[in-house]
Amino acid sequence: MAHAPADQLLPPPPAPDDLAAIVYTSGTTGKPKGVMLTHANVIADVKAVMQRISPVASDVFLSFLPLSHTFERTGGYYLPIASGSCVAYARSVALIAQDLMIVKPTILVSVPRIYERVHAKLLEVLSASSFKMQLFQAAQSVGWTRFCAGQGLPAPKDDADHKNNGGWMRILPGRFCARSWPSPCLRNSVAACALP
């Protein structure tokens, strides 16, 4: 529109019921289906997410899930746009650890499998030293207690109860906000471990 005449009117904005996107399901439970989302659908999703996560313009997202994934589209695309935040796109899943160190995101939207990979790699690296493993478990316990308090959740009774209820992996999938990581050392540890 930079070359459009000054007297040319802009097209009207979309109405809430106008089609905004067609998102296709993976087909894991049957044939893939196209889901038609209106502008009102997208805005409702973003408003719902913003009730739980409040990104600000200074936040930096690191995006690595495909934008065709509806979770990534909402949490890693529409949400940053709505909050005026910056989005950096990872080079690949294999390079996430490096990209975390380079980009230093404040918000990372992910799925459980990525957390499982990070956790498994941390345990693999730390298991070589009982001292490091104990230190990690102590930091995780303190971090988990702080996370629960910050989320208004009941404090964990003890470490056994924490593990039996799925630990931090159970609460965080769906959003992984660096400001509320359960263990202060986890943020730095992720960078030290190359994901498998």
Side-chain angles (χ1 to χ4, degrees), residues 119-171:
H119 191 251
K121 187 65 176 180
L122 280 170
L123 293 180
E124 177 187 319
V125 170
L126 296 174
S127 65
S129 165
S130 61
F131 174 73
K132 288 180 181 179
M133 184 61 84
Q134 289 174 353
L135 186 61
F136 173 72
Q137 289 171 341
Q140 189 173 350
S141 179
V142 169
W144 179 245
T145 300
R146 289 181 182 168
F147 177 78
C148 289
Q151 298 297 313
L153 299 171
K157 295 175 187 164
D158 61 28
D159 196 45
D161 182 55
H162 166 72
K163 286 179 183 173
N164 291 337
N165 287 321
W168 64 274
M169 297 295 285
R170 186 179 197 124
I171 297 295

Side-chain angles (χ1 to χ4, degrees), residues 62-115:
L62 178 61
S63 175
F64 59 89
L65 296 172
L67 288 173
S68 59
H69 193 291
T70 191
F71 178 67
E72 178 66 24
R73 188 178 296 200
T74 299
Y77 181 70
Y78 295 138
L79 179 63
I81 288 173
S83 62
S85 302
C86 176
V87 180
Y89 291 92
R91 294 169 291 172
S92 71
V93 172
L95 297 174
I96 290 175
Q98 290 176 14
D99 290 341
L100 283 167
M101 292 172 44
I102 294 166
V103 174
K104 297 178 177 42
T106 55
I107 298 178
L108 178 67
V109 177
S110 189
V111 292
R113 181 63 188 129
I114 298 300
Y115 305 132

